[in-house]
Amino acid sequence: MSSAVVFRRLLILPPAIRRHAYSTAVASRPEVYDVVCVGGGPVGLSFVSALQSHNTTRHLKIALVDSQDLSISKSGNDGETYSNRCSSLTPAALRYLKSIGAWNKIESERLQPYHAMDVWDGVSGSKIHFEDQPGTGLVDSLLELVPGNRFQASRTRYETGSTVVATMCENSNLTGALLQRIKELKSEAGSLKVLDKTKVSSIDLGQTPTDETSPDFSQWPLLTTSAGQTLAARLLVGADGANSPVRQFADIPSPGWDYNQHGVVATLNLDRDFSSSELRTAYQRFLPTGPVALLPLPGKKASLVWSTTPQHAAALKSLDSAGFTAAVNAAFRLMPVDINFMLSSSSTSTPESELAWREPATPPSSTGLPASFPRIIGVQEGSQASFPLRLRHASTYTGHRVALIGDAAHSIHPLAGQGLNLGLADAEALAKQMVYGVEHGMDIGSCWCLDGYGSERWGKNNAMLGVVDKLGKLYSAGSGPVVWGRSLGLGLVDRLGVVKSALVGAAAGRG
Ligand SMILES: Cc1cc2nc3c(=O)[nH]c(=O)nc-3n(C[C@H](O)[C@H](O)[C@H](O)COP(=O)(O)OP(=O)(O)OC[C@H]3O[C@@H](n4cnc5c(N)ncnc54)[C@H](O)[C@@H]3O)c2cc1C
């Protein structure tokens, strides 16, 4: 056993036991489950689907608990309105969702794949254009040098990969598809209980039994729900989001920092149909206050993710739809100083009038605006919202009879669209670990079984969290040598096909 593993066990296990060993006795005898998954967000639902889809784990007794009404999770909108909570899913995430039989339940007409990304520096205007083209780039260059050797595996993976960089999908469309899949599997396997509209109100360890006939739950998490049930979990999975009650129960620290930024989201109306263009593109401009991204949805729609200061976010949310539309056009078309003034309290004119006179005086060549960039002509009513942005990373993903997945384990800045993708990869890895555990006769809640999951995912997620964090910080400089250096870097990367291919491969989840 490695010293890191020993350390983690010492770190996590004793506090949980000390804290809960003498907790209040649970009145009724608990219902016993192999797995209790708290959280029916996309990550928790995919984990449960993965367990239920696999022959080895489908007969595990599972409870899925969520405080929300999961039956209304389907997107259910018409083709004109789109949810403001969308995610760009990488090809790796799609492969996983296909493998668990959920992707064919998705409302495909509401998806929008994209094939290219235009990213530019809001201060210097330098830019980079990414396209995912199998047949070019790093892997193929290597293969030409060493045909038929160990790189063959990479070649197959690379060539069969699609040219799609990522696919925009409403979170509600994904959870709707996962719920349908769970319903289908539930009628086949019948070992899953979905407890929605049910809040987990407390989690404690059980008591040592006073007589020999009673089961010993002293090392098991016992959950009490708002409906008064008590559930005993051989393995308790926290897919319960950033404020994870499961993580708190297990006493797992989740260090990190706040970005002092809010992510403003909205569904936008465009002057152009993205799906009719040959190459569908996602756009992101780095402003010193944070990146602003326009991500394609079907038809003349797009999803906005504008990371900015809390003051700007509040100003944006207070604007009417014409003002908001003008401010978003300004975010891509004006110089940072003009955008700051437009959203500041010292501005006495409306964003529309500011944009009207400033835009003709700002040539696209000075801001780096790509020629293909559409005009935003409106915002879907009521779709503006904002979320505080922070970085958090749990110091371990596992404890005795506990595992964390998704946002419960990590929160990442949305600038690279990776949060959900990392969470889905966690769910896939934990489900695989469960298969391994069952096949090898292990106690699936034991550290022996769970450690493989933590060691597979923690390092990878930590690397991605670090890269995304540094990227955000690099672009927050508004002037000076950093701006010069990053522009030079961006220009060089744009000219180096090999490096670009490697970067786009990582963004598409092939890293
Ligand atoms: C502005 C923004 C843009 C983003 N864009 C992208 C993107 O493009 N691509 C991407 O990959 N990611 C993106 N993300 C991140 C992504 O949205 C999250 O990583 C993802 O939704 C997390 O899913 P989850 O299932 O882990 O957690 P959640 O979706 O938070 O689900 C947690 C669930 O746990 C339940 N729960 C919590 N406490 C309890 C309790 N006590 N009892 C019962 N149930 C409970 C909640 O009801 C909820 O359903 C973005 C995030 C933001 C803020």
Side-chain angles (χ1 to χ4, degrees):
M1 197 189 319
S2 75
S3 56
V5 170
V6 173
F7 175 72
R8 284 218 312 269
R9 287 189 188 143
L10 290 174
L11 187 75
I12 301 309
L13 191 53
I17 290 170
R18 275 203 302 274
R19 200 156 59 100
H20 299 293
Y22 301 105
S23 62
T24 321
V26 174
S28 58
R29 180 170 276 216
E31 281 177 64
V32 181
Y33 288 89
D34 294 311
V35 179
V36 176
C37 178
V38 183
V43 173
L45 289 175
S46 89
F47 172 67
V48 170
S49 304
L51 289 184
Q52 294 261 292
S53 312
H54 200 285
N55 275 340
T56 307
T57 45
R58 65 190 307 201
H59 299 297
L60 291 176
K61 195 175 169 203
I62 303 168
L64 173 72
V65 192
D66 199 293
S67 46
Q68 294 181 34
D69 182 355
L70 295 178
S71 64
I72 56 168
S73 200
K74 249 183 113 36
S75 43
N77 296 322
D78 51 43
E80 289 304 305
T81 53
Y82 284 84
S83 161
N84 58 7
R85 287 311 306 269
C86 295
S87 295
S88 52
L89 298 174
T90 62
L94 260 53
R95 267 196 297 278
Y96 163 57
L97 293 165
K98 280 178 193 159
S99 76
I100 60 172
W103 195 245
N104 63 3
K105 308 266 181 280
I106 209 97
E107 293 180 60
S108 54
E109 66 287 358
R110 302 184 70 84
L111 300 173
Q112 184 60 65
Y114 58 88
H115 306 86
M117 288 189 285
D118 273 325
V119 179
W120 69 105
D121 186 331
V123 178
S124 69
S126 62
K127 56 186 152 190
I128 184 163
H129 176 82
F130 290 107
E131 255 174 63
D132 196 11
Q133 290 178 326
T136 59
L138 179 63
V139 174
D140 290 82
S141 315
L142 287 171
L143 285 167
E144 275 165 30
L145 292 174
V146 276
N149 75 356
R150 66 197 171 85
F151 289 105
Q152 202 59 45
S154 312
R155 181 182 196 107
T156 311
R157 191 164 65 97
Y158 192 72
E159 285 189 348
T160 54
S162 132
T163 55
V164 167
V165 172
T167 300
M168 286 301 292
C169 176
E170 294 158 288
N171 290 5
S172 54
N173 191 3
L174 178 56
T175 48
L178 286 163
L179 280 165
Q180 271 190 58
R181 177 64 177 148
I182 283 173
K183 208 168 161 192
E184 182 178 85
L185 291 163
K186 200 170 160 229
S187 59
E188 289 170 20
S191 52
L192 168 71
K193 198 166 199 178
V194 178
L195 302 168
D196 66 344
K197 294 174 270 177
T198 306
K199 192 173 178 213
V200 171
S201 25
S202 70
I203 312 173
D204 286 293
L205 287 179
Q207 277 200 324
T208 310
T210 45
D211 62 89
E212 279 175 10
T213 56
S214 304
D216 183 356
F217 290 119
S218 60
Q219 300 293 314
W220 284 45
L222 295 190
L223 295 87
T224 310
T225 72
S226 52
Q229 300 120 305
T230 308
L231 317 177
R234 182 181 299 281
L235 171 64
L236 173 61
V237 176
D240 44 358
N243 299 320
S244 172
V246 171
R247 193 183 64 229
Q248 286 167 32
F249 154 74
D251 240 1
I252 298 178
S254 186
W257 46 85
D258 294 352
Y259 283 110
N260 194 27
Q261 280 181 352
H262 283 218
V264 177
V265 295
T267 305
L268 304 173
N269 300 325
L270 309 176
D271 66 340
R272 208 165 317 151
D273 186 344
F274 262 112
S275 24
S276 64
S277 70
E278 269 299 292
L279 204 64
R280 282 154 248 176
T281 306
Y283 300 93
Q284 180 149 261
R285 184 185 189 199
F286 280 93
L287 296 167
T289 42
V292 53
L294 185 103
L295 303 150
L297 291 175
K300 296 181 179 176
K301 300 279 177 182
S303 181
L304 172 79
V305 182
W306 185 350
S307 307
T308 189
T309 61
Q311 295 76 16
H312 283 184
L316 282 166
K317 285 205 293 174
S318 70
L319 294 170
D320 62 10
S321 108
F324 189 85
T325 304
V328 177
N329 275 311
F332 289 99
R333 292 178 157 88
L334 298 188
M335 295 307 286
V337 63
D338 299 332
I339 303 162
N340 290 348
F341 178 75
M342 181 185 268
L343 296 175
S344 73
S345 50
S346 31
S347 171
T348 48
S349 54
T350 63
E352 301 93 293
S353 58
E354 284 286 321
L355 184 68
W357 77 265
R358 285 182 194 269
E359 192 179 352
T362 315
S365 57
S366 66
T367 59
L369 184 76
S372 62
F373 192 81
R375 185 141 207 112
I376 295 109
I377 56 167
V379 56
Q380 185 181 297
E381 203 186 321
S383 68
Q384 300 99 312
S386 73
F387 305 90
L389 303 179
R390 51 179 69 110
L391 180 146
R392 294 282 187 279
H393 198 194
S395 58
T396 175
Y397 292 173
T398 59
H400 185 61
R401 303 206 177 283
V402 171
L404 304 176
I405 53 177
D407 275 20
H410 42 72
S411 307
I412 186 170
H413 196 290
L415 74 87
Q418 288 298 319
L420 178 54
N421 290 299
L422 298 183
L424 292 173
D426 296 343
E428 181 179 19
L430 183 60
K432 270 194 196 147
Q433 198 60 34
M434 295 296 96
V435 170
Y436 179 87
V438 173
E439 279 173 351
H440 290 79
M442 298 168 99
D443 173 352
I444 56 167
S446 68
C447 291
W448 312 110
C449 182
L450 296 174
D451 272 348
Y453 159 65
S455 49
E456 181 180 341
R457 292 302 307 156
W458 197 92
K460 285 182 186 165
N461 289 345
N462 200 48
M464 182 60 87
L465 283 155
V467 167
V468 171
D469 180 59
K470 302 296 169 294
L471 206 57
K473 286 184 174 138
L474 181 68
Y475 279 93
S476 61
S479 60
V482 176
V483 174
W484 178 82
R486 75 187 181 210
S487 302
L488 187 72
L490 215 55
L492 269 176
V493 170
D494 197 36
R495 284 176 195 79
L496 287 173
V498 160
V499 179
K500 254 167 61 167
S501 292
L503 285 176
V504 82
R510 290 197 304 266

